[in-house]
């Protein structure tokens, strides 16, 4: 393997939106440090903030709920744009189940030692099972495997605190241990958890306010062993079809690697609003990076992906990840996931990995960001379409702004809240990270630390405010 040092790009700091000009990585005019190879403009890409904004505008005319005609219209638009850029594009259909909201929920904590039974006000989680169950309540802490070790959950109701690991995982852990239901809560919240990103749950699952849950925990710590009866009625399910868009561009140089890099976003939205930031913004950035990368010299394969049914529980990305052969997985350098990357009202840009560890995707992003707008921190977080890639052993990270905008999952997530600067910033960072992998001037990124030295970037322990 030839030894090549980190390519040093000087990033242009000005944005010229009025003329439709993009944000570019400028070619250096001076030689780099002794022994370093300084890449020229052929290794850089230029992105156009206006073009990204226009994609977001086209997609955010209405909600794009998975399995609906509006979602399919978005899929066709994305497919058409990628084909214009010269990509080989296929649609990957998959079936998932939509669960209706319950018509009634009742949670009763049975009285003991002369106490009157208490009726609480739970909220059902999306995709919960219906049914009537009763049993002793057990404090399962945060639901991680180590928390459940030694607990007797068979036939009981698990009280689980949010945080540390993905909520889907902790609910599945409790179900595996024989729990008949789960009560989930956020101790810092005055309201029940109202998240919508849950895969199909295998047992009745509801959430409580932090106050009500803490009162239950006090009874548990006093060895009261309270019992509960939970009724979740009126849940129905129906099969629906959604689609992933898979666009592929092969190497165009005589000497090629066997490497693959991919960039993705989800094109569906919640029903409440048009999802301009969540996640038309991610799709718009995907499309613009795809356009820019199509004009580069590439010794590796690149794939641009948009996923359906993310809001129902990562169904699209799970279907795509399952479709990858072991040979294909072995070719992957990494996957960049974009979710909610354009709101004026959201916080700073972060990179999140499922296990809270750095990888090639975060190393590249932090290094390019340091030359544009400052080093990006990384953290630990699941709950987006990078999770199925991680589960198949592919290096991946989620790029998103945190805390989330106040318009999150509401009818106010509209195009007027979108920032061209934020869109272009993310597109430049991720686009040039991908271009670095694809560049013929770099060897295979399988051993990238042999020739690439990332900047130092910090770990942030806070969880995204979504």
């Amino acid at each position: 393997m030839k030894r090549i040092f980190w390519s040093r790009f000087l990033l242009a700091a000005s944005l010229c939106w009025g003329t439709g000009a993009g944000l570019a990585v400028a070619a250096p005019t001076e030689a780099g440090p002794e022994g370093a190879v300084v890449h020229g403009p052929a290794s850089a890409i230029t992105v156009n903030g206006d073009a990204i904004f226009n994609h977001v505008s086209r997609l955010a005319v209405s909600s794009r709920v998975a399995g609906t005609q509006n979602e399919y219209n978005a899929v066709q638009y994305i497919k058409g744009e990628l084909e214009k850029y010269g990509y080989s594009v296929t649609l990957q259909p998959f079936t998932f189940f939509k669960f209706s909201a319950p018509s009634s929920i009742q949670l009763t904590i049975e009285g003991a030692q002369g106490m009157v039974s208490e009726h609480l006000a739970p909220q059902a989680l999306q995709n919960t099972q219906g049914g009537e169950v009763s049993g002793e309540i057990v404090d399962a802490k945060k639901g991680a495997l180590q928390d459940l070790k030694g607990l007797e959950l068979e036939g009981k109701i698990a009280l689980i605190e949010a945080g540390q690991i993905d909520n889907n995982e902790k609910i599945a852990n409790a179900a595996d241990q024989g729990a008949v239901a789960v009560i989930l809560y956020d101790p810092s919240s005055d309201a029940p958890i109202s998240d919508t990103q849950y895969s199909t749950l295998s047992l009745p699952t509801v959430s409580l306010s932090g106050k009500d849950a803490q009162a239950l925990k006090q009874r548990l710590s006093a060895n009261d062993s309270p019992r509960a009866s939970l009724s979740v009625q009126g849940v129905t399910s129906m099969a629906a079809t959604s689609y992933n868009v898979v666009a592929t561009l092969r190497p165009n140089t005589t000497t090629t690697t066997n490497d693959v890099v991919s960039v993705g976003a989800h094109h569906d939205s919640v029903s409440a609003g048009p999802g301009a930031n969540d996640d038309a913004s991610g799709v718009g950035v995907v499309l613009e990076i795809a356009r820019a990368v199509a004009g580069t010299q590439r010794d590796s394969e690149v794939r641009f992906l948009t996923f359906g049914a993310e809001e129902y529980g990562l169904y699209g990305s799970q279907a795509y990840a399952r479709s990858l052969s072991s040979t294909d997985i072995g070719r992957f350098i990494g996957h960049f996931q974009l979710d909610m990357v354009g709101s004026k009202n959201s916080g700073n840009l972060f990179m999140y990995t499922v296990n809270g560890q750095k990888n090639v995707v975060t190393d590249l992003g932090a290094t390019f960001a340091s030359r544009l707008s400052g080093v990006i921190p990384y953290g630990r977080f699941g709950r987006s379409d990078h999770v199925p890639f991680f589960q198949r052993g592919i290096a991946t990270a989620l790029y998103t702004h945190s805390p989330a905008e106040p318009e999150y999952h509401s009818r106010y997530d509209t195009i007027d809240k979108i920032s061209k600067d934020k869109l272009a910033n993310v597109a430049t960072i991720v686009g040039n990270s991908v271009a670095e992998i694809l560049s013929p001037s770099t060897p295979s990124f399988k051993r990238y630390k042999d020739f690439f030295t990332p900047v130092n970037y910090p770990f942030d322990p806070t969880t995204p405010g979504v």
Side-chain angles (χ1 to χ4, degrees):
M1 178 184 295
K2 61 182 177 179
R3 184 172 181 83
I4 299 182
F5 290 82
W6 166 239
S7 56
R8 300 184 179 270
F9 293 113
L10 301 177
L11 297 179
S14 60
L15 300 174
C16 305
W17 304 123
T19 61
L23 183 59
V25 179
T29 57
E30 298 180 358
E34 183 179 355
V37 173
V38 181
H39 291 176
S43 297
I45 67 166
T46 301
V47 301
N48 187 313
D50 287 332
I52 306 173
F53 186 85
N54 289 339
H55 288 311
V56 178
S57 298
R58 289 289 299 272
L59 292 166
V61 294
S62 62
S63 64
R64 303 174 302 282
V65 176
T68 65
Q69 184 63 44
N70 283 351
E71 186 209 23
Y72 187 71
N73 292 343
V75 164
Q76 291 298 323
Y77 172 77
I78 295 163
K79 179 176 182 288
E81 292 301 297
L82 290 165
E83 287 175 337
K84 288 179 186 177
Y85 308 148
Y87 287 79
S88 172
V89 185
T90 59
L91 299 185
Q92 182 185 51
F94 60 91
T95 300
F96 69 103
F97 283 88
K98 292 184 174 184
F99 284 73
S100 67
S103 57
S104 67
I105 311 170
Q106 291 183 333
L107 176 62
T108 302
I109 310 301
E110 300 174 6
Q113 300 175 353
M115 295 176 63
V116 177
S117 296
E118 182 180 6
H119 299 280
L120 300 181
Q123 179 169 311
L125 298 187
Q126 176 180 280
N127 292 333
T128 182
Q129 295 290 323
E132 293 188 16
V133 298
S134 61
E136 180 184 332
I137 301 174
V138 176
D139 184 1
K141 300 180 182 177
K142 293 190 176 181
L145 290 177
Q146 61 267 29
D147 294 330
L148 304 187
K149 188 175 181 179
L151 288 182
E152 177 53 59
L153 284 180
E154 187 72 35
K156 299 179 180 179
I157 297 174
L159 178 66
I160 302 179
E161 180 180 339
Q164 184 175 328
I165 63 173
D166 182 70
N167 285 334
N168 288 288
E169 182 180 347
K170 58 183 65 185
I171 294 166
N173 289 343
D176 290 344
Q177 296 295 320
V180 295
V182 167
I183 301 172
L184 192 67
Y185 71 99
D186 179 350
S188 65
S189 175
D190 293 331
I193 294 171
S194 59
D195 202 348
T196 62
Q197 292 183 316
Y198 291 95
S199 303
T200 301
L201 304 176
S202 57
L203 72 180
T205 307
V206 298
S207 62
L208 284 176
S209 69
K211 178 181 178 181
D212 286 343
Q214 295 289 10
L216 271 181
K217 288 193 67 172
Q218 288 179 5
R219 290 183 61 177
L220 289 171
S221 62
N223 295 316
D224 190 14
S225 300
R227 291 180 58 86
S229 296
L230 174 64
S231 175
V232 180
Q233 298 297 319
V235 175
T236 60
S237 66
M238 62 174 290
T241 300
S242 183
Y243 299 85
N244 295 328
V245 182
V246 181
T248 303
L249 203 61
R250 307 292 181 185
N252 58 0
T253 53
T254 55
T255 302
T256 65
T257 70
N258 196 39
D259 296 345
V260 175
V261 60
S262 61
V263 185
H266 71 88
H267 51 247
D268 66 312
S269 75
V270 296
S271 60
N277 194 45
D278 187 14
D279 184 30
S281 64
V283 175
V285 171
V286 165
L287 290 174
E288 177 60 7
I289 296 174
R291 180 202 63 77
V293 164
T296 64
Q297 291 292 303
R298 305 171 305 277
D299 66 0
S300 305
E301 181 179 316
V302 61
R303 300 177 188 175
F304 289 93
L305 314 165
T306 69
F307 305 113
E310 188 267 357
E311 298 291 2
Y312 278 95
L314 314 183
Y315 285 104
S317 54
Q318 288 172 351
Y320 179 77
R322 284 194 303 267
S323 74
L324 296 173
S325 67
S326 57
T327 300
D328 214 17
I329 288 171
R331 299 174 58 206
F332 265 86
I333 298 301
H335 173 74
F336 295 76
Q337 185 65 30
L338 307 169
D339 199 346
M340 302 168 60
V341 292
S343 175
K344 297 175 182 177
N345 301 324
S346 60
N348 296 322
L349 184 61
F350 284 78
M351 304 175 294
Y352 291 103
T353 60
V354 177
N355 60 359
Q357 301 295 317
K358 295 178 178 180
N359 58 40
V360 61
V361 176
T362 59
D363 282 351
L364 282 167
T367 303
F368 275 102
S370 71
R371 290 154 170 77
L372 176 64
S373 54
V375 171
I376 315 172
Y378 75 105
R380 179 176 179 173
F381 185 64
R383 264 187 47 199
S384 191
D385 286 317
H386 61 311
V387 174
F389 288 84
F390 170 80
Q391 292 170 337
R392 293 301 308 270
I394 296 171
T396 184
L398 167 68
Y399 285 70
T400 189
H401 294 104
S402 182
E405 68 281 3
E407 299 82 22
Y408 172 67
H409 278 188
S410 77
R411 63 189 178 95
Y412 302 108
D413 183 7
T414 49
I415 190 64
D416 58 301
K417 313 297 192 313
I418 297 299
S419 162
K420 292 180 183 179
D421 285 14
K422 282 189 172 180
L423 294 173
N425 181 64
V426 175
T428 302
I429 292 167
V430 174
N432 281 285
S433 296
V434 171
E436 182 74 357
I437 294 173
L438 299 176
S439 172
S441 299
T442 56
S444 170
F445 262 73
K446 290 293 183 183
R447 295 178 57 189
Y448 74 101
K449 290 188 177 178
D450 286 351
F451 61 90
F452 167 75
T453 303
V455 297
N456 291 323
Y457 55 106
F459 178 83
D460 190 302
T462 59
T463 300
V466 298

